[in-house]
Amino acid sequence: MRSDSSLAPPALETLAIHAGQEPDPVHGGVMPNLVLSTTFRQPEPGKPLRFDYSRSGNPTRAALEACLVALERAQFGFAFASGCAAATTILSTLSPGAHVVCGDDVYGGTYRLLTRVLGPLGIRTTFVDQTNAAEFEAAITPDTRLCWLESPSNPLLKLADIARLAEVAHRRSTPLLVDNTFASPMLQQPLELGADIVLHSATKYLNGHSDVVGGALLLRDPELAERIRFLQNAMGGVPSPFDCYLVLRGLKTLPVRMQQHCRSAAELARRLEEHPLVERVHYPGLASHPQHELARRQMREPGGMLSLSLRGGEPAARRFLQSLHWFALAESLGGVESLAEHPALMTHASIPREVRESIGIGDGLVRLSVGLEHVEDLWSDVAGALQAAKGAA
Ligand SMILES: Cc1ncc(COP(=O)(O)O)c(C=O)c1O
């Protein structure tokens, strides 16, 4: 086998398959070993080889972390038992009295964590429109210790200008975290744009097969990495080796999956925009999206997620969702199978109604995660469900 030094730097497609995954030194197996052992024999007391106990570190988890580091162009990576465990861990670096500035259109569980878990512990959050850099900057106070955003956001597919907001946050000596779950590293790499921390719900595109709940943090700062390494072990929100193995396997097809997710989502978005029952389609790939130009600049492709506001409000949305066949009515996103959901009643139900409505998550809003089924089957499903929803509008 030729040595690394004679090869050109690998592309993301190659890294997704190989990064962090050395052939098994005993048998030459091309897949990384799934190491289930919780503990590791030490040659001398207190002098383990690389691993001592699987909460602190595990070979299969280390392979996953190394692969994610390569894909996000990070220096350090930490895998967690869920996206929420990753969020909880990074937020545990903050002390009472700290302040967080967060985009106002984030995953409902992130909102819940910030307001109902961190709030009572004395960590205050201001939610701002992340599309407005001036508003974002105005919300930063001398106590702000972290800025947080999702781009594209959930469920309205709003974009944040990551490079611009990183500049704004750094001017005020505050790190910027980007939840990159919707885009995946195939479509954008926030650290390359100036962000300090990337968060993933690995449950979604990274794993891609709706059979693992997982999360990750990726970053470049060695001091922060040391703190997170400590918290990952001390708080213990780590994934099982088996889940790490499955995410590693999912990552191998991430590049080709993302291509097809994007192609089909763009086609459905274009057709949905012309449908009389659809008031508005939220998809960064459409020229009508208020940040279409930013999407072209910041993302390689506009993604596999879209949402649509139906005329006829909740009754039409309910009828639409219950009439679907290939799109499963279910929470979550980013799997090979198409999913549809109602943010106000499902993923974002933990956000108070008045807050939800003020940011545009109305009762007629439906979110689609466009899967890998044939696009004509998906269109016939959606068109049929819209026809059925007409009666309820
Ligand atoms: C954008 C985003 N971030 C974070 C999370 C939380 O991830 P998990 O469900 O893996 O805890 C989700 C879950 O839906 C999400 O959509």
Side-chain angles (χ1 to χ4, degrees):
M1 199 165 85
R2 262 164 68 217
S3 72
D4 277 354
S5 58
S6 65
L7 296 171
L12 286 178
E13 288 78 358
T14 307
L15 292 171
I17 293 171
H18 294 286
Q21 297 162 69
E22 296 303 322
D24 161 24
V26 179
H27 304 292
V30 295
M31 281 299 289
N33 284 335
L34 167 54
V35 180
L36 296 171
S37 190
T38 53
T39 190
F40 299 85
R41 200 163 174 155
Q42 307 189 12
E44 279 183 61
K47 293 226 165 121
L49 300 172
R50 181 166 172 202
F51 300 100
D52 57 2
Y53 183 60
S54 264
R55 171 162 37 74
S56 327
N58 166 279
T60 316
R61 191 171 95 213
L64 171 62
E65 291 172 339
C67 191
L68 293 174
V69 162
L71 294 179
E72 283 290 5
R73 307 255 186 252
Q75 296 286 335
F76 305 97
F78 301 91
F80 293 92
S82 67
C84 283
T88 305
T89 305
I90 186 71
L91 289 168
S92 301
T93 61
L94 307 178
S95 310
H99 174 247
V100 178
V101 174
C102 184
D104 63 6
D105 181 33
V106 290
Y107 169 56
T110 302
Y111 179 90
R112 179 176 56 206
L113 185 58
L114 287 165
T115 54
R116 294 175 56 189
V117 181
L118 274 291
L121 297 175
I123 294 165
R124 212 167 41 83
T125 302
T126 304
F127 294 92
V128 292
D129 178 358
Q130 61 176 28
T131 65
N132 184 333
E135 194 179 312
F136 203 84
E137 181 157 18
I140 299 177
T141 74
D143 293 328
T144 307
R145 296 289 174 268
L146 185 62
C147 292
W148 186 299
L149 54 88
E150 280 179 27
S151 186
S153 67
N154 181 5
L156 292 170
L157 286 303
K158 289 198 232 167
L159 264 55
D161 186 334
I162 296 172
R164 176 118 187 261
L165 294 184
E167 222 178 271
V168 166
H170 294 163
R171 211 181 308 136
R172 309 290 295 271
S173 309
T174 309
L176 174 69
L177 178 148
V178 175
D179 182 333
N180 205 26
T181 298
F182 267 40
S184 92
M186 297 316 301
L187 306 188
Q188 79 192 3
Q189 290 152 310
L191 300 180
E192 293 282 281
L193 296 168
D196 302 279
I197 306 155
V198 164
L199 181 142
H200 275 285
S201 167
T203 316
K204 312 300 188 312
Y205 287 110
L206 297 187
N207 178 57
H209 294 75
S210 305
D211 51 8
V212 171
V213 174
L217 292 172
L218 292 312
L219 55 145
R220 291 177 175 172
D221 174 14
E223 224 172 282
L224 182 58
E226 224 21 71
R227 183 77 189 134
I228 292 174
R229 194 183 318 283
F230 168 78
L231 290 171
Q232 185 192 37
N233 180 46
M235 297 174 72
V238 294
S240 75
F242 190 66
D243 283 353
C244 295
Y245 182 87
L246 286 177
V247 178
L248 266 173
R249 182 156 87 162
L251 284 175
K252 290 177 191 294
T253 54
L254 178 68
V256 286
R257 282 191 282 111
M258 287 316 290
Q259 265 179 25
Q260 188 57 45
H261 284 302
C262 293
R263 213 174 286 151
S264 295
E267 185 57 30
L268 293 190
R270 195 183 60 68
R271 295 187 194 183
L272 281 166
E273 198 168 42
E274 285 164 11
H275 197 283
L277 193 71
V278 177
E279 198 169 275
R280 179 145 176 227
V281 180
H282 306 268
Y283 184 66
L286 291 174
S288 59
H289 189 284
Q291 295 157 298
H292 182 56
E293 279 315 306
L294 175 60
R296 290 167 66 106
R297 198 161 19 100
Q298 182 166 276
M299 302 178 73
R300 289 187 197 96
E301 300 277 347
M305 297 296 300
L306 60 95
S307 55
L308 50 142
S309 308
L310 295 183
R311 293 185 207 286
E314 189 178 320
R318 274 183 186 274
R319 180 77 64 86
F320 171 78
L321 289 166
Q322 287 172 324
S323 306
L324 289 165
H325 176 80
W326 296 119
F327 278 87
L329 171 55
E331 306 217 356
S332 203
L333 60 111
V336 293
E337 61 291 304
S338 292
L339 301 176
E341 68 112 8
H342 189 274
L345 295 172
M346 297 166 69
T347 47
H348 291 65
S350 54
I351 302 178
R353 171 180 276 277
E354 63 285 2
V355 178
R356 259 193 341 249
E357 285 178 350
S358 73
I359 56 177
I361 305 177
D363 291 339
L365 187 76
V366 166
R367 189 186 78 181
L368 301 182
S369 171
V370 179
L372 303 186
E373 301 90 341
H374 197 286
V375 68
E376 294 304 337
D377 290 330
L378 295 180
W379 173 247
S380 116
D381 192 17
V382 166
L386 283 171
Q387 190 59 31
K390 236 183 205 170

